[in-house]
Amino acid sequence: MKYLILVPDGAGDENIEQLGGKTPLEVANMPFIDGLAAKGEIGMVRTVPPGIAPGSDAANLAVMGYDPTIYLTGRSPLEAASIGIEMSDTDVAYRANIITLSGEGAYEDLIIKDHSSGDITTAEADQLIQAVNEAFADDEKLFYTGTSYRHCLIVHNGETGFDLTPPHDVLDQKVGDYLPKGVGSEFLTEMMRKSYEILKDHPVNKARIEKGLNPANSLWIWGQGKKPQLSSFYDKYQITGTAISAVDLIKGIAICAGLDSVDVAGATGTLHTNFAGKAEAAIREFRDGKDFVYVHLEGPDECGHQGDMEGKIQCLSDIDSKVLKPIVAALRADGKDFKVLEVPDHRTPLAIRTHSSTPVPYVIYDSRNEKTEDSSRQFNEKAGIAAGTYFENGFELADYFFKN
């Protein structure tokens, strides 16, 4: 038996006037998942528990079957695991974005323009992280290069009780309104402020500006947490598995759960990722004997943050035709029994350009147990609500998928 979980990150949305009151999932050209839905099961699921910020950390833990109220210790520690950082029990990891600030005047008066610095390349970002380390690294703290704009700061014997804001939650807002808060957090604010002076005239950013690209001219520090302790995925479900994602967070969850993680050349976490390469990697993992593959696509989320409606719709269409369709075709060609779960980790509504905790739709298809075809069963919010099936605790959907 083979199990596929496909996660179009941030795919869920709200009704949009320009789309005639429909959502991107309703408008996108997704005949393949809708075909599976017509012969399968649909419904809604709350992936982010009440009281927890609607981040991809909590949501993807839930989709993989882990209760975020128990297992979430912070976003950055999971990313640190992906990078290969060995954390002690007293270390604190922070996400260190390199972002684009615009405007003039004092640092506090600048505007948070772009949380991803125009999807800066990892090679460019590495040069900037090296410059940051030259200025700030010491026996107590060190920065590590991650992927694109997503990087990591490790502080030995650190504290976690600071109030830190994700930059994608406060786009187009003034820096000064969202700087770190809490006793002892001043060193983070000082590094962020000084990083602007270090990075704004760095050769990497001068070259980006000449090309008309957003410069990565400031650190933004958030997502703190201590070393995670996930239970074994194999012990939970007695199956072997692999995660495929361009995002360090997802790789980190997989590693901490004892799953494998596969890197795909050209996987960027954007609309322009290597969709075909991810599908090929999933097929290869199945054919090499893995029971389960978790395929995560970041593109819809990034388009949501950027307010790119057309990009989000196109990304959803590409996931359907270039990722899901070939994987399922290969499983059928191999004569394998299989189950598919497609579910967003959370909504990233275009209207607010950040995550929400509103429940998301899901589709489950079982090749051994096709239902009588019903075209009203589709992969979108309205159909999921109309179906009447609802999981209040997101992690229970995975239990249902694997054990039912």
Side-chain angles (χ1 to χ4, degrees), residues 94 141 153 155 162 184-192 221:
Y94 296 83
K141 56 186 179 294
L153 165 65
V155 176
F162 305 141
S185 65
E186 295 81 7
F187 80 103
L188 298 175
T189 300
E190 191 63 16
M191 283 194 294
M192 290 163 63
I221 301 172

Side-chain angles (χ1 to χ4, degrees), residues 2-186:
K2 301 296 185 180
Y3 300 88
L4 170 68
I5 295 183
L6 185 69
V7 180
D9 195 300
D13 214 300
E14 307 300 331
N15 299 336
I16 297 173
E17 184 177 353
Q18 300 98 301
L19 299 179
K22 296 182 178 180
T23 69
L25 282 173
E26 290 180 86
V27 172
N29 182 29
M30 301 186 299
F32 201 79
I33 186 57
D34 284 342
L36 296 184
K39 297 179 181 180
E41 173 186 331
I42 65 173
M44 300 294 289
V45 56
R46 179 183 291 280
T47 55
V48 180
I52 291 183
S56 291
D57 45 9
N60 278 277
L61 280 170
V63 173
M64 278 198 196
Y66 293 93
D67 183 350
T69 65
I70 297 173
Y71 292 102
L72 180 61
T73 61
R75 180 189 185 108
S76 191
L78 295 165
E79 295 172 330
S82 170
I83 297 171
I85 301 170
E86 292 289 339
M87 292 179 64
S88 73
D89 291 339
T90 60
D91 286 346
V92 174
Y94 296 83
R95 160 71 84 82
N97 279 43
I98 43 176
I99 68 171
T100 303
L101 301 181
S102 63
E104 297 180 354
Y107 183 76
E108 288 78 2
D109 294 328
L110 301 178
I111 301 298
I112 303 165
K113 179 180 179 182
D114 183 353
H115 73 287
S116 68
S117 298
D119 297 315
I120 188 170
T121 67
T122 301
E124 291 173 304
D126 183 56
Q127 296 181 57
L128 302 179
I129 293 300
Q130 289 183 38
V132 165
N133 264 329
E134 289 176 6
F136 302 129
D138 56 29
D139 292 340
E140 291 299 315
K141 56 186 179 294
L142 183 66
F143 288 87
Y144 294 82
T145 301
T147 302
S148 184
Y149 63 90
R150 314 172 188 95
H151 308 284
C152 186
L153 165 65
I154 298 292
V155 176
H156 301 305
N157 302 310
E159 299 293 334
T160 61
F162 305 141
D163 182 7
L164 308 179
T165 302
H168 51 258
D169 281 0
V170 289
L171 294 170
D172 299 323
Q173 304 299 308
K174 289 177 63 173
V175 165
D177 293 335
Y178 299 100
L179 289 171
K181 299 178 179 65
V183 176
S185 65
E186 295 81 7

